[in-house]
Amino acid sequence: LAEEKEKLAETNKELEEFTYIASHDLQEPLRKISAFGDILKTKYEKSLDASGLDYLERMINSSLRMKNLISSLLMYSRIGTKAITFEKVDINNIVAEVLLDFEIPIKQTNAKIEVSNLPVINANPLQMHQLFQNLIGNALKYSKKDICPEIKISSSSHIDNSIIITIQDNGIGFDEQYAEKIFGVFQRLHGKNEYEGTGIGLSICRKIMEKHNGHIIAYSKAGEGSTFTIFLLKTF
Ligand SMILES: Nc1ncnc2c1ncn2[C@@H]1O[C@H](COP(=O)(O)OP(=O)(O)OP(=O)(O)O)[C@@H](O)[C@H]1O
Ligand SMILES: [Mg+2]
């Protein structure tokens, strides 16, 4: 079993390195496509007819989307390949920082956010910031059009030293059959025209939790909000 585990870790590492190199190298030709697209638009706009201009716009938009996909992929692979350090992290502070990042959308949507006493854990602060940024960002983004977002972040700790943190929203939710699928790379349930995003956020959350020897799962029902649950071990 130990040998199998080692093999798997090696394959994972190779895959991560491949992802990193491939996405890095894909950026260069893409940069040219978008640069020449821009030149075509500024210099030759007048010589194109309406449909020519439409094709050009679509080409520029697609290259922009590909740029976002590639940088998401790079961000994802970096979490796997970079060595991280752990320290005492107060999750209350992390959540407060993230809420400050989202100050504008929170005001605009009149969101109500309830945070109850969160734990101090042994973790990497940057990755914890990324984790809560993705989860709170999703809770705000996938809200229902006609009602203000209500987000509850709370935690409980148990005798066996485990900690559970939940992030609950009252948004659009999703069918429970997709609860695992959404943690996959580029997996999205909602169209890119409806909600912005590349579908990398939750796969990053999953990877961050793996790095912390923990786990994250989702629970939801379509139209009834979602709950994301984080499991961690308290090590001091
Ligand atoms: N709180 C939520 N409520 C409803 N659906 C959600 C929620 N969080 C995630 N999802 C669904 O899971 C999908 C994957 O989420 P994820 O955060 O990985 O990607 P994203 O938000 O689409 O893009 P990104 O985070 O890369 O900007 C989303 O597209 C959405 O369909
Ligand atoms: Mg997201």
Side-chain angles (χ1 to χ4, degrees):
L1 191 67
E3 209 174 289
E4 285 292 312
K5 231 176 155 179
E6 204 171 298
K7 249 195 223 158
L8 193 66
E10 190 128 315
T11 317
N12 265 341
K13 197 156 183 282
E14 274 170 20
L15 198 65
E16 270 159 10
E17 274 161 15
F18 170 78
T19 311
Y20 182 79
I21 294 165
S23 38
H24 193 263
D25 289 357
L26 287 172
Q27 280 182 323
E28 194 40 46
L30 183 63
R31 238 175 250 137
K32 282 215 171 117
I33 294 172
S34 91
F36 284 116
D38 288 342
I39 293 173
L40 212 55
K41 195 173 168 205
T42 44
K43 275 184 90 175
Y44 299 91
E45 196 173 7
K46 291 195 180 73
S47 11
L48 291 170
D49 62 11
S51 61
L53 208 60
D54 177 47
Y55 296 153
L56 182 61
E57 290 283 357
R58 287 202 232 173
M59 194 189 88
I60 292 172
N61 284 341
S62 290
S63 69
L64 209 70
R65 177 147 177 87
M66 187 155 173
K67 187 175 159 236
N68 289 337
L69 289 171
I70 291 175
S71 59
S72 298
L73 209 51
L74 270 171
M75 205 156 68
Y76 175 74
S77 66
R78 267 192 204 121
I79 293 186
T81 46
K82 234 176 155 185
I84 50 159
T85 52
F86 290 82
E87 58 192 77
K88 232 180 193 176
V89 178
D90 187 341
I91 301 297
N92 292 289
N93 295 342
I94 300 283
V95 168
E97 279 166 29
V98 172
L99 292 179
L100 212 58
D101 295 343
F102 286 117
E103 202 182 348
I104 295 167
I106 288 173
K107 272 207 186 115
Q108 278 170 348
T109 56
N110 241 328
K112 208 179 113 204
I113 314 221
E114 211 181 287
V115 184
S116 58
N117 213 17
L118 299 173
V120 176
I121 58 165
N122 193 30
N124 178 269
L126 282 178
Q127 291 199 345
M128 283 299 116
H129 190 100
Q130 249 178 315
L131 178 82
F132 283 94
Q133 189 155 39
N134 281 321
L135 295 174
I136 295 170
N138 282 349
L140 287 167
K141 174 160 61 167
Y142 300 105
S143 59
K144 288 179 179 161
K145 297 265 177 293
D146 46 347
I147 53 174
C148 301
E150 270 176 36
I151 305 170
K152 285 187 191 136
I153 307 168
S154 60
S155 88
S156 59
S157 50
H158 304 264
I159 324 170
D160 62 350
N161 256 354
S162 64
I163 288 176
I164 293 176
I165 303 175
T166 57
I167 293 103
Q168 192 189 346
D169 66 55
N170 64 340
I172 55 173
F174 52 83
D175 195 292
E176 56 184 321
Q177 64 171 312
Y178 301 118
E180 244 329 278
K181 187 184 173 194
I182 54 173
F183 289 98
V185 173
F186 296 151
Q187 297 296 328
R188 311 194 70 220
L189 306 177
H190 306 96
K192 64 177 191 302
N193 298 325
E194 223 181 328
Y195 298 93
E196 249 180 63
T198 57
I200 208 86
L202 286 178
S203 50
I204 288 180
C205 292
R206 218 346 117 78
K207 195 167 247 187
I208 289 174
M209 290 315 296
E210 276 169 19
K211 285 259 165 187
H212 285 78
N213 288 319
H215 195 49
I216 176 168
I217 57 166
Y219 177 78
S220 183
K221 272 189 182 148
E224 291 182 22
S226 317
T227 304
F228 287 82
T229 309
I230 294 166
F231 300 91
L232 274 164
L233 276 180
K234 191 169 186 152
T235 41
F236 56 86

